Amino acid sequence: MTADIAAILAIDGIATGAVYALVAIGTVLIFTVTRVIFIPFGDIAAFTALTLAALDARQLPGTVGLVVVLACMACVMEVISLARTGELRAVPKAVLGYLVLPLIVVGIVWLTMRFNPPMPVRIVLALLLIMPISPLLDRIVFRPIADASVLLLLTVSVALHFALVGLGLLFFGPEGVRTEPLTSMAMEIAGVHVSGQTILILAAALVFSGLLFLFFDFTLVGKALRATALNRTGARLMGIRPARAGTIAYLLGSLMAGVSGILIAPVNTIFYDSGFLLGLKAFVGAIVGGMASYPGAALGAFGVGIIESFASFQSSTLKDVIVFSLLIPVLLWRSLASHHSEEEVEE
Amino acid sequence: MRKMLSLTALIGGLVAASTAQADITIGFVTSLSGPGSSIGIPYGRGIQAAMEYKNEVNGEKIKLIQLDDGSDPSAATRNARKLIEEEKVDLLIGTATAPSTIAMMAVATELKVPMIAVSPVIGQPNPADQWGISVPQPASLLVKVVADRMKRDAMKNIGYIGFSDAWGDLVYNGAKAVETDDGIKVLTNERYARVDTSVTGQILKVLAVRPDAVLIGGSGTQGALPLLALGERGFKGKTYGTVALVNPDFVRVGGKAAEGIQVSAGPVIVAEQLPDNHFAKKLALDFRAAFLKANNVPTTDGFSAYSFDGWMIFTSAAARALKTAKPGTVEFRKAMRDEILNTRELSGVHAVYNFKPGAYHGVDERALVIVRLNNGAWTYQP
């Protein structure tokens, strides 16, 4: 291992880590607001890549079918629950939010596709299509059990991941895809060749971390989300609606998963089932940050990326084993160093 | 529609030829749906092309019954039973995925019906109770031919990178097997997973041993990942692989980085470029013409040709079996099995076939040619 090799591996690891960081930050965001460890996050990223590839090939992506099915389910559930509580006046609003809005998005994509839009527009369309999926899943799967224990929510989340992989096979088919590179530029930094794609990935990770920081500290919505995260009941008494906070968190999280999916699509072949490993490695990063701090999750994810890169050089067959073995010392240290809060005792 | 037509032709044939009381009935199973369908559909088209090419043996009509197994081994098992017990077929041909093929082979052995497998079957059959053979080239042979080519190209130090699964092991062990003291040496054994996003670390390790050539043990689109990384690092040596890489997506994704890679593949892939005295030349061109006539699309893959070769093996064995038994009888099934295992020097479009009891595969090194990727097209490298 010479200095140049170490430099190349470090750059490569940082690029991989940046993708994990985006997903890890999204995971932490959703966890702190809703207490759901959202395992299907990686799947959302993979679906975005598959959607973009379908748009590039001038086909209507399978995501359209997925969104329409989920929108119908969510709408029916919402209307039934409103009817049960006798709040019939809220029904039109619910139909608008859960059925009409997603269908408008699908309609926009369908219309725009007829004009052969350029690459940036296609990326925006792919993100638009992917955004409704998580909030709809939240309404269908997690809202009815919002007050359950973290463990139950995690179990449901894992089950949801397997359901999504099956749906992915149904809507996208078994073949892998790879999209056109976003940029072909490259530069030399201290004698190491760095591709433009790497720089883009890094920039996206930094910009999103920065935006989230600003959002949570300087906007009312962000503060409301933080309040929900700290204490659901207290936030409710102050007039914040936890359900809405959850929806916003899922929307933001999907956006980040979508961006990471678009960033990895040109550098790797994405299959319908590629998301799981991506989500899992990001989750390791988030654990390092204690599932609570954004900078911690981002640092942890970069650490996972760098370790993975060096492990692939030292012993490529054991690469994933090394990455996941990291969890054990981290978990030990976390559980010994942290104080259990009152809330967990109640559960 | 096509089925209707062939049925009408068949009934017409029956009325015309009053002597042909007993047709030869063939049960064909393939995966028209499910994850195996991307190769199952070509298998089905290959059989249609074969019917177009030859639809009778010694004046006896052939009746073909095709079923879909949905890429599911239990459905393949049910289909095999239905074909044998209800349709009374004389021979089974199938199917697109290895697990389903093995399941069908078990049914064929149990019910004593000969079977021609169009997917690889692993293992050693019991010579006394062997009812099936397998058409495709075994993976070990694919690797051996490409390793011999590396030797011929005077490559000494070989870097290896492949999948971290059974396929990666198979290619690595195959390359290791041809190592010699003065010839090629495989110096690295780097692995990556199908879902990995980067192989930079592994490629650095490969380049650290200063290889003359790099052997790729991946498949399809993801097989291009190491080539892209090698291209980024400015690797100037040669690259080698196996037919597992050959698909349009590999060429598209690999682009300039995949240029010049040499792989071992069945001769039918480059039929039009073969020399006139090559055993597969004329038959492969006839096969392509029949394929176009039967399916109205040109052939673009090597899979449909396995079905076609299976049909060649069946018709040549049936011609001999008909001398001793009548179709539709237990004796005919047994005669068919004996004659299939008695195939000698039969030229197909992929290989020259020689079967004998005790082995599923019956091909030798003539079944593979080396093809090179030049400007996005595979070219024959004698």
Side-chain angles (χ1 to χ4, degrees):
Chain A
M1 168 100 54
T2 59
D4 330 344
I5 288 185
I8 295 169
L9 288 175
I11 298 250
D12 185 62
I14 288 170
T16 320
V19 173
Y20 296 155
L22 279 173
V23 178
I25 290 169
T27 311
V28 172
L29 170 72
I30 290 181
F31 177 71
T32 49
V33 176
T34 63
R35 297 179 310 122
V36 174
I37 296 171
F38 199 59
I39 302 279
F41 224 123
D43 299 320
I44 303 282
F47 286 2
T48 317
L50 289 158
T51 306
L52 183 62
L55 291 173
D56 283 350
R58 307 268 178 279
Q59 294 160 341
L60 201 61
T63 337
V64 168
L66 191 63
V67 170
V68 170
V69 170
L70 289 177
C72 293
M73 280 170 70
C75 182
V76 167
M77 286 179 73
E78 182 73 12
V79 168
I80 289 175
S81 77
L82 284 174
R84 273 193 182 154
T85 51
E87 295 174 63
L88 287 173
R89 270 181 310 171
V91 167
K93 203 171 160 190
V95 172
L96 184 76
Y98 285 109
L99 186 65
V100 179
L101 261 180
L103 289 183
I104 287 176
V105 169
V106 170
I108 290 173
V109 172
W110 186 71
L111 279 176
T112 325
M113 277 315 290
R114 319 198 125 199
F115 302 111
N116 281 345
M119 185 76 173
V121 178
R122 289 203 297 267
I123 290 177
V124 171
L125 288 182
L127 285 174
L128 267 180
L129 256 187
I130 220 77
M131 294 266 284
I133 292 181
S134 301
L136 289 171
L137 284 175
D138 169 47
R139 175 64 196 89
I140 296 166
V141 180
F142 293 114
R143 190 81 55 84
I145 52 170
D147 293 328
S149 68
V150 172
L151 187 62
L152 178 72
L153 291 172
L154 172 64
T155 314
V156 170
S157 184
V158 172
L160 181 62
H161 153 73
F162 285 111
L164 272 183
V165 168
L167 287 171
L169 178 59
L170 184 71
F171 285 113
F172 296 107
E175 302 295 330
V177 300
R178 201 183 253 255
T179 59
E180 294 300 308
L182 303 174
T183 162
S184 55
M185 65 165 215
M187 54 168 75
E188 294 273 325
I189 298 177
V192 179
H193 169 95
V194 181
S195 72
Q197 192 72 30
T198 308
I199 293 164
L200 262 184
I201 293 175
L202 254 180
L206 291 174
V207 165
F208 269 90
S209 316
L211 281 179
L212 272 185
F213 167 75
L214 294 173
F215 172 78
F216 279 105
D217 275 30
F218 296 101
T219 67
L220 193 60
V221 180
K223 284 176 180 161
L225 281 189
R226 267 173 61 198
T228 319
L230 285 171
N231 187 333
R232 278 175 85 86
T233 321
R236 211 182 207 148
L237 291 171
M238 293 294 109
I240 299 167
R241 295 164 80 177
R244 177 167 301 172
T247 304
I248 293 170
Y250 276 108
L251 270 175
L252 275 176
S254 310
L255 180 66
M256 300 180 69
V259 168
S260 54
I262 279 167
L263 289 171
I264 51 174
V267 290
N268 190 26
T269 315
I270 302 287
F271 295 83
Y272 71 96
D273 60 350
S274 301
F276 187 55
L277 214 58
L278 174 71
L280 220 51
K281 283 176 180 159
F283 180 63
V284 175
I287 291 280
V288 173
M291 288 304 280
S293 117
Y294 298 105
L299 279 177
F302 278 113
V304 169
I306 290 169
I307 286 168
E308 193 183 6
S309 172
F310 279 90
S312 73
F313 180 80
Q314 289 301 347
S315 167
S316 58
T317 29
L318 295 176
K319 186 190 68 175
D320 286 347
V321 176
I322 293 170
V323 170
F324 290 120
S325 306
L326 275 181
L327 260 181
I328 298 168
V330 169
L331 284 174
L332 279 173
W333 162 64
R334 282 264 160 212
S335 58
L336 293 173
S338 72
H339 300 287
H340 290 284
S341 64
E342 287 301 308
E343 212 183 17
E344 280 171 6
V345 175
E346 273 173 34
E347 286 177 3
Chain B
M1 193 68 228
R2 174 157 301 286
K3 255 194 197 147
M4 284 299 299
L5 279 176
S6 55
L7 264 177
T8 347
L10 208 129
I11 293 163
L14 275 180
V15 175
S18 55
T19 47
Q21 281 305 315
D23 296 342
I24 303 175
T25 317
I26 302 296
F28 173 57
V29 179
T30 186
S31 308
L32 298 173
S33 54
S37 60
S38 60
I39 57 177
I41 291 166
Y43 275 136
R45 288 178 167 169
I47 285 284
Q48 294 301 339
M51 277 288 272
E52 179 70 43
Y53 181 79
K54 191 174 170 95
N55 63 0
E56 51 138 44
V57 182
N58 299 2
E60 299 276 357
K61 285 260 176 284
I62 300 169
K63 180 174 156 202
L64 176 76
I65 302 165
Q66 176 174 321
L67 294 176
D68 173 23
D69 68 8
S71 314
D72 171 15
S74 57
T77 308
R78 276 197 306 276
N79 283 345
R81 282 197 183 281
K82 181 170 180 280
L83 288 167
I84 295 168
E85 287 167 350
E86 292 173 25
E87 306 288 352
K88 305 274 185 276
V89 297
D90 298 304
L91 172 89
L92 282 174
I93 301 179
T95 174
T97 56
S100 299
T101 309
I102 291 162
M104 277 180 73
M105 195 68 96
V107 176
T109 308
E110 178 198 338
L111 299 174
K112 306 224 175 306
V113 173
M115 171 167 167
I116 293 175
V118 288
S119 290
V121 178
I122 301 162
Q124 289 284 330
N126 168 8
D129 192 33
Q130 182 184 354
W131 286 86
I133 53 101
S134 170
V135 176
Q137 302 93 340
S140 52
L141 190 66
L142 284 175
V143 184
K144 185 176 181 320
V145 169
V146 86
D148 287 344
R149 177 56 60 115
M150 291 197 282
K151 227 190 247 173
R152 207 185 86 177
D153 290 348
M155 296 288 143
K156 285 238 184 297
N157 299 335
I158 309 296
Y160 173 73
I161 174 164
F163 280 171
S164 51
D165 62 10
W167 178 245
D169 293 346
L170 211 71
V171 179
Y172 178 72
N173 296 338
K176 270 296 205 198
V178 295
E179 267 191 343
T180 46
D181 293 338
D182 56 336
I184 71 168
K185 278 198 179 46
V186 184
L187 299 173
T188 63
N189 183 8
E190 293 300 310
R191 302 304 183 88
Y192 68 106
R194 197 186 61 132
V195 290
D196 280 0
T197 46
S198 155
V199 289
T200 307
Q202 290 94 322
I203 289 297
L204 288 174
K205 193 98 177 228
V206 168
L207 292 179
V209 302
R210 308 219 172 286
D212 305 324
V214 175
L215 174 65
I216 311 285
S219 70
T221 332
Q222 270 307 67
L225 194 59
L227 291 168
L228 290 163
L230 283 169
E232 268 174 28
R233 302 269 154 250
F235 178 66
K236 291 281 178 284
K238 293 198 171 192
T239 51
Y240 294 87
T242 63
V243 72
L245 295 171
V246 178
N247 79 6
D249 287 342
F250 167 80
V251 177
R252 183 174 56 82
V253 169
K256 270 204 278 299
E259 194 63 23
I261 188 169
Q262 300 187 67
V263 307
S264 51
V268 68
I269 304 266
V270 286
E272 71 290 339
Q273 304 166 25
L274 295 172
D276 285 340
N277 59 1
H278 192 283
F279 71 85
K281 169 98 176 189
K282 185 182 173 307
L283 191 61
L285 293 176
D286 289 350
F287 158 66
R288 286 193 182 182
F291 189 98
L292 188 63
K293 204 166 156 191
N295 303 300
N296 300 321
V297 284
T299 155
T300 53
D301 65 280
F303 293 107
S304 50
Y306 291 129
S307 311
F308 187 81
D309 275 5
W311 196 262
M312 293 296 115
I313 295 164
F314 143 64
T315 49
S316 98
R320 298 191 296 273
L322 280 168
K323 292 176 184 141
T324 55
K326 273 215 133 355
T329 60
V330 176
E331 292 76 28
F332 184 69
R333 286 175 176 176
K334 185 159 181 341
M336 278 293 290
R337 177 198 66 169
D338 295 340
E339 290 302 342
I340 287 173
L341 288 174
N342 204 6
T343 303
R344 291 288 169 268
E345 291 296 305
L346 174 74
S347 295
V349 295
H350 262 299
V352 178
Y353 297 94
N354 287 293
F355 291 105
K356 60 178 192 300
Y360 285 120
H361 293 283
V363 301
D364 51 29
E365 289 176 27
R366 286 173 296 177
L368 290 161
V369 296
I370 297 286
V371 298
R372 185 168 183 276
L373 191 62
N374 283 346
N375 302 324
W378 297 103
T379 51
Y380 178 56
Q381 295 281 323

